Each structure stands twice: as C-alpha cells, then as structure tokens.
Amino acid sequence: MPNTNATLTLHGFEPYKEKKGEEYMNAKQREHFKNLLFTWKTELMEEVDRTMSYMRDEAANFPDPADRASQEEEFSLELRTRDRERKLIKKIDKTIEQIDADDYGFCDACGVEIGIRRLEARPTATQCVDCKTLAEIKEKQIGA
C-alpha cells in the first residue's frame, strides 16, 4: 500500500505552499513556476535526444516487408510524439517569456487569477477553469 504521507511532486518539484496573505504571483511564485518549466523543458529535450539515438541505433533494412513496415510504423509513432513535444517546448518557452514579462498566472480571457493549483497541474495554462470550460463547450458546439 502506498505511503499516504508522501507528497506528490511534479517534475521533481514540491507543490508550492502558499503563505496566508501572500500576494498572488509574487517573485517567489514566479521563480517556482519558471524553475518547474525549465525542468520540464529539459526533460522533454532529453527525451528527444533519446529518441534520435534509438532511431539511429535501431534503424535496419529488414529483408521481410512485414518487419520493415512494423519498424516504420514504430518510428512514425515516435516522430509524432516528438512533434507534439516540440510544440509543447514552444509553449513552455512562451510561458517563460510571460513570467519574465510579469504577465503570468492571469486568464487571457477574463483577467482573473488562474490559481496556483491549476498552474501546477498545467503550468502552460492561459485560461482559468471557467473560461477554458466555456471555450471547450463552444468548440464542441461548432465542431459538432
């Protein structure tokens, strides 16, 4: 049975513990999120390096067409995953720029605080839960 006293960590970081009366998105909080984002970006970049090494080492010209097709499909899935991670890295860089510009942690749609817990769950969030929910509902209605 897991230890219930264990603290959950995100990318090796302890969740930020707010102090009573603490100003939202103060320098300490911004630094916490900036460090978290840099660590996440580093992890993603290391994964890209591992994938490239793996593909280089495992690439083979199999005589059997089924084996070749399996390898090509595996590599295709890896490349799609890396492409999604590349886009996420760009989003992380943009978020770090927002922190540097003192424009982080507030909803792009309504301007309210996004909240520490939501940002720890999704550090690149640009909308509060309410605005994101409304946007998803509108997207479903338009897409249906």
Side-chain angles (χ1 to χ4, degrees):
M1 184 166 176
N3 181 356
T4 55
N5 292 329
T7 304
L8 295 176
T9 61
L10 176 67
H11 305 286
F13 279 80
E14 295 289 328
Y16 186 83
K17 290 178 179 58
E18 297 173 79
K19 292 173 180 58
K20 191 173 182 170
E22 183 177 22
E23 180 187 353
Y24 181 72
M25 275 306 125
N26 61 42
K28 191 174 178 184
Q29 291 173 2
R30 288 191 311 271
E31 188 66 24
H32 169 78
F33 285 107
K34 196 170 181 179
N35 289 335
L36 186 134
L37 288 160
F38 274 124
T39 301
W40 192 12
K41 180 180 175 181
T42 301
E43 288 173 2
L44 290 169
M45 292 174 79
E46 287 170 356
E47 189 61 34
V48 168
D49 290 343
R50 275 193 292 276
T51 298
M52 296 311 293
S53 294
Y54 170 75
M55 289 177 70
R56 209 175 11 257
D57 295 344
E58 295 299 316
N61 191 3
F62 292 108
D64 180 33
D67 290 341
R68 249 192 332 270
S70 292
Q71 184 181 53
E72 286 175 18
E73 182 64 22
E74 179 186 346
F75 284 3
S76 176
L77 288 170
E78 283 290 331
L79 290 173
R80 276 187 278 185
T81 301
R82 295 297 84 79
D83 188 51
R84 283 195 304 276
E85 289 173 346
R86 180 188 56 79
K87 290 174 184 172
L88 180 55
I89 288 170
K90 283 184 177 181
K91 201 170 187 181
I92 289 170
D93 287 338
K94 184 179 176 200
T95 303
I96 291 169
E97 288 174 14
Q98 286 179 314
I99 292 172
D100 290 340
D102 241 359
D103 194 25
Y104 177 71
F106 297 92
C107 180
D108 286 351
C110 70
V112 302
E113 297 175 359
I114 293 174
I116 299 294
R117 295 300 153 242
R118 172 156 167 70
L119 290 170
E120 285 196 325
R122 186 167 196 87
T124 57
T126 58
Q127 292 182 320
C128 66
V129 172
D130 293 339
C131 289
K132 184 64 177 171
T133 302
L134 284 174
E136 288 174 354
I137 291 169
K138 287 178 186 174
E139 187 178 309
K140 282 181 186 175
Q141 289 174 341
I142 293 170

